[in-house]
Amino acid sequence: MKNFYYCIAAALVLTVLAVLFIPGVDDFVETTFQMYLGRAAR
């Protein structure tokens, strides 16, 4: 279970770094989150 939390933390850090330094990634991340949140709201 500890490894699971490390993987989640690493994915979060990589996502933040990608959004900060790679142009265009923020739109992809926003679209992906909206897709998952839309499914969860149904």
Side-chain angles (χ1 to χ4, degrees), residues 1 4-5 7-11 15-17 19 21-22 24 28-29 31 36-38 40-42:
M1 195 65 169
F4 174 74
Y5 290 123
C7 289
I8 295 295
T15 302
V16 169
L17 291 175
V19 166
F21 294 112
I22 303 174
F28 172 74
V29 171
T31 304
Y36 284 118
L37 290 176
R42 291 181 200 167

Side-chain angles (χ1 to χ4, degrees), residues 20-41:
L20 289 176
F21 294 112
I22 303 174
V25 173
D26 55 346
D27 291 334
F28 172 74
V29 171
E30 182 179 354
T31 304
T32 305
F33 280 140
Q34 285 180 354
M35 181 181 61
Y36 284 118
L37 290 176
R39 286 183 193 166

